[in-house]
């Protein structure tokens, strides 16, 4: 599957095999031995055993800001041991009969109870998480709806896997049955989306659609010890044709160290969702010895810095682009975006602590915008703390508790938490530091067109738009750009003259 990427099971051997080097800039780091064995390291999605032990120790010691983060968790109504699951045989997202809110509320209750159980040492919360997950794996058989069913598969698939990973060895958990549910109900939809994109042209769906599917494929592969599936996800991150692969999501790297996030031309809410999903993908891969945070001269760092600066109200450059949209052998059109969308600096989502702590604490890199926006968002909550709509449940959250870590001194941390050489001059400079960003400076990976592409006058803004249905409810945020979605295929872009030495 994912034939378009050309990935094979051997790719994961190259990424995770014994003795394989993982690059941060030009510094080679050895992945942990656990990732090279017959199975993956467990727990090893968003949280490793070392992470869970650190959280518990910090909270027990009364350390800040962990205690504030834990207080956010314990105050959340989902993190209570009295939560009772409400499993459904069919979950519908998009169109008539929607009931997916039942699913995401139960997933967040399972995750929050599992996290609270590990940090507090009280097994009652772990028991509750197990009961929720067992109830759903015994009942759920189908995800239905319009195109939004792919979002349900991606978002809730990766979140379900993370909740299960925290209790995979807890007494009474039906791991095999849960793995079967993920591999038959969730992962096939995500795999199919990355190959076929719902029978739309490849650029029809914005960045976050791909990223949800990528997170599901990766998380399910790790939970189920499926190296071929993990290889497909990693290969798509690097070279996938859709807008979620890293060079399409972050197409322009500038000389000031910032890299433009494509979906910043859409609206703030979806851009924040995309950054959070890419961070989630990188963190899950990192915990299995695969460094995607540092891939392509730390391209994600530069893109995250760009979004952080923009989301706080700072001025950022934006290279005009036109993407084709539509259905294969059907209607088609295009959409041109010329500038970054307006923002509300008060808008926040629990995505920043994980990313900021990786680059500044694990890698020892300065990242001023990430540091500032993470501090502004602290203490981060989770599902239920950011409004009642589905957008408030798109991230598992609680990053202040889960990802605040002590700064590594003397040597950088390698993938999976192993020790590695310090990421100093070999790593890319922090975006916003004013230094050049190495070989990737000023690069534009997107296909170019010499002419300014105009929107199709014949395309309807609503008729058959495969990516529009339910998309506003996905995030629970209203698009701020006012750009009409037209509709068709390959990403066509117009490069404007590069701005050198832009001020911060």
């Amino acid at each position: 599957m994912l034939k378009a990427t050309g990935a094979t099971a051997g790719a994961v051997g190259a990424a995770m095999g014994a003795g394989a080097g993982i690059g941060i800039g030009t510094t080679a780091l050895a992945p942990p031995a656990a990732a090279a064995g017959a199975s993956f390291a467990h727990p090893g999605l968003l949280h490793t055993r070392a992470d869970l032990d650190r959280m518990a120790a910090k909270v027990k010691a009364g350390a800040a800001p962990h205690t504030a983060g834990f207080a956010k968790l314990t105050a959340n109504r989902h993190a209570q041991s009295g939560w009772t699951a409400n499993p459904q045989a069919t979950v519908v997202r998009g169109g008539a009969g929607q009931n997916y809110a039942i699913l995401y509320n139960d997933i967040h209750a399972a995750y929050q109870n599992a996290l609270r159980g590990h940090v507090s040492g009280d097994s009652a919360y772990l028991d509750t998480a197990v009961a929720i997950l067992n109830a759903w794996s015994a009942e759920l058989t189908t995800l239905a709806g319009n195109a939004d069913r792919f979002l349900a598969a991606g978002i809730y698939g990766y979140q379900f896997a993370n909740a299960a990973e925290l209790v995979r060895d807890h007494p009474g958990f039906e791991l095999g049955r849960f793995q079967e549910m993920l591999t038959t109900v969730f992962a096939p939809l995500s795999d199919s989306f990355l190959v076929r994109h719902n029978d739309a042209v490849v650029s029809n769906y914005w960045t976050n659609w791909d990223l949800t599917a990528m997170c599901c494929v990766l998380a399910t592969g790790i939970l189920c010890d499926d190296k071929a599936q993990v290889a497909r996800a990693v290969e798509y991150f690097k070279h996938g044709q859709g807008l979620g692969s890293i060079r399409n999501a972050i197409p322009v790297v500038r000389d000031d160290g910032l890299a433009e996030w494509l979906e910043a031309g859409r609206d703030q809410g979806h851009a924040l969702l995309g950054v959070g999903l890419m961070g989630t993908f990188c963190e899950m891969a990192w915990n299995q010895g695969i460094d995607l945070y540092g891939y392509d001269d730390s391209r994600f760092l530069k893109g995250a810095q760009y979004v952080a600066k923009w989301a706080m109200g700072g001025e950022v450059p934006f290279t005009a682009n036109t993407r084709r949209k539509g259905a294969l052998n059907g209607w088609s059109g295009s959409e041109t975006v010329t500038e970054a969308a307006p923002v509300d600096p008060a808008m926040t989502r629990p995505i920043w602590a994980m990313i900021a702590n990786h680059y500044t604490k694990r890698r020892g890199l300065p990242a001023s915008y990430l540091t500032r926006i993470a501090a502004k968002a602290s203490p981060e909550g989770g599902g239920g703390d950011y409004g009642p709509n589905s957008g408030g449940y798109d991230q598992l959250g609680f990053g202040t508790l889960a990802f605040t870590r002590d700064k590594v001194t003397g040597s950088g941390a390698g993938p999976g938490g192993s020790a590695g050489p310090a990421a100093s001059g070999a790593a890319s400079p922090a975006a916003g530091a004013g230094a050049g960003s190495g070989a990737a400076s000023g690069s534009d990976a997107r296909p170019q067109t010499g002419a300014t592409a105009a929107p199709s006058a014949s395309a309807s803004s609503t008729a058959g738009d495969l990516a529009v249905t339910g998309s506003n409810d996905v995030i629970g945020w209203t698009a701020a750009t006012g750009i009409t979605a037209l509709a068709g295929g390959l990403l066509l872009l117009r490069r404007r003259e590069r701005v050198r030495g832009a001020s911060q």
Side-chain angles (χ1 to χ4, degrees):
M1 301 177 76
L2 300 193
K3 295 176 183 176
T5 68
T8 65
V12 81
M16 299 191 300
I22 302 296
I24 300 276
T26 58
T27 302
L29 302 177
S39 63
F40 293 98
H42 299 294
L45 287 175
L46 285 175
H47 314 300
T48 66
R49 171 55 56 192
D51 292 332
L52 296 170
D53 290 346
R54 180 188 67 249
M55 294 179 225
K58 291 289 188 180
V59 170
K60 184 178 181 180
H66 302 82
T67 50
F70 188 60
K72 291 286 289 187
L73 175 64
T74 58
N76 194 299
R77 71 183 183 91
H78 296 79
Q80 310 307 317
S81 60
W83 189 279
T84 300
N86 183 18
Q88 308 290 308
T90 299
V91 168
V92 180
R93 176 163 181 165
Q98 291 192 126
N99 63 348
Y100 68 102
I102 297 172
L103 175 59
Y104 65 66
N105 275 281
D106 275 0
I107 290 174
H108 282 258
Y111 172 78
Q112 291 180 28
N113 270 277
L115 191 62
R116 184 173 182 176
H118 279 290
V119 176
S120 68
D122 188 338
S123 63
Y125 298 103
L126 297 170
D127 293 342
T128 298
V130 165
I132 296 168
L133 298 174
N134 283 348
W136 276 94
S137 67
E139 184 74 18
L140 181 63
T141 60
T142 307
L143 291 178
N146 57 27
D148 285 6
R149 70 189 184 278
F150 294 106
L151 293 173
I155 295 171
Y156 310 137
Y158 97 76
Q159 292 180 349
F160 243 157
N162 270 276
E165 186 75 352
L166 292 178
V167 296
R168 64 180 297 133
D169 297 325
H170 195 69
F173 179 52
E174 298 286 350
L175 176 61
R177 191 175 71 196
F178 195 88
Q179 290 172 323
E180 182 179 3
M181 178 189 68
L182 281 181
T183 56
T184 59
V185 178
F186 291 86
L189 280 172
S190 292
D191 262 323
S192 172
F193 185 83
L194 293 177
V195 175
R196 300 177 59 88
H197 288 89
N198 196 29
D199 294 324
V201 294
V202 72
S203 61
N204 184 78
Y205 289 92
W206 283 100
T207 296
N208 70 85
W209 288 76
D210 265 8
L211 286 169
T212 63
M214 292 159 60
C215 284
C216 177
V217 173
L218 179 64
T220 301
I222 293 170
L223 181 79
C224 299
D225 292 314
D226 186 336
K227 287 190 175 182
Q229 187 161 330
V230 172
R232 295 197 302 272
V234 171
E235 178 65 13
Y236 196 94
F237 175 91
K238 295 178 178 180
H239 305 298
Q241 294 182 3
L243 300 186
S245 62
I246 189 164
R247 282 180 169 254
N248 288 335
I250 309 172
V252 180
V253 176
R254 307 184 67 87
D255 287 344
D256 62 0
L258 297 178
E260 298 176 20
W261 187 265
L262 181 69
E263 212 158 2
R266 182 186 184 188
D267 64 71
Q268 183 182 4
H270 288 92
L272 293 178
L273 170 61
V275 171
L277 289 168
M278 187 170 284
T280 294
F281 191 92
C282 290
E283 184 70 17
M284 293 189 297
W286 175 273
N287 285 332
Q288 297 300 332
I290 309 169
D291 179 25
L292 300 178
Y293 277 118
Y295 180 74
D296 197 13
D297 197 26
S298 297
R299 196 180 192 97
F300 179 50
L301 166 62
K302 299 165 190 174
Q305 283 268 81
Y306 173 96
V307 173
K309 178 182 180 181
W310 167 67
M312 289 187 292
E315 292 187 9
V316 293
F318 190 86
T319 301
N321 69 80
T322 297
R323 66 188 187 102
R324 291 173 56 199
K325 300 178 64 180
L328 296 176
N329 303 315
W331 65 276
S332 64
S334 62
E335 177 183 36
T336 298
V337 181
T338 60
E339 61 184 357
V343 299
D344 174 5
M347 181 184 290
T348 186
R349 285 293 180 260
I351 64 174
W352 298 112
M354 176 175 62
I355 303 167
N357 273 275
H358 173 80
Y359 287 114
T360 66
K361 300 297 181 64
R362 278 187 182 139
R363 305 311 309 152
L365 297 172
S368 59
Y369 298 121
L370 285 174
T371 300
R372 286 167 53 196
I373 202 167
K376 183 179 178 181
S378 181
E380 290 181 351
D385 292 323
Y386 297 89
N389 297 326
S390 61
Y393 293 81
D394 283 341
Q395 290 83 32
L396 290 169
F398 300 105
T400 305
L401 168 66
F403 302 111
T404 299
R405 58 187 77 247
D406 296 329
K407 189 169 185 177
V408 174
T409 58
S411 64
S418 62
S424 55
S428 61
S437 57
S441 294
S443 67
D444 188 344
R446 302 174 292 185
Q448 301 297 301
T449 176
T452 301
S456 167
S458 62
S460 167
S461 63
T462 57
D465 190 340
L466 301 175
V468 164
T469 53
S471 60
N472 284 339
D473 185 55
V474 173
I475 313 299
W477 297 311
T478 302
T481 63
I483 295 174
T484 300
L486 297 175
L490 298 175
L491 185 65
L492 301 176
L493 298 142
R494 177 173 60 85
R495 178 79 183 276
R496 67 188 180 193
E497 185 176 359
R498 188 169 64 212
V499 178
R500 294 183 178 274
S503 66
Q504 299 308 308

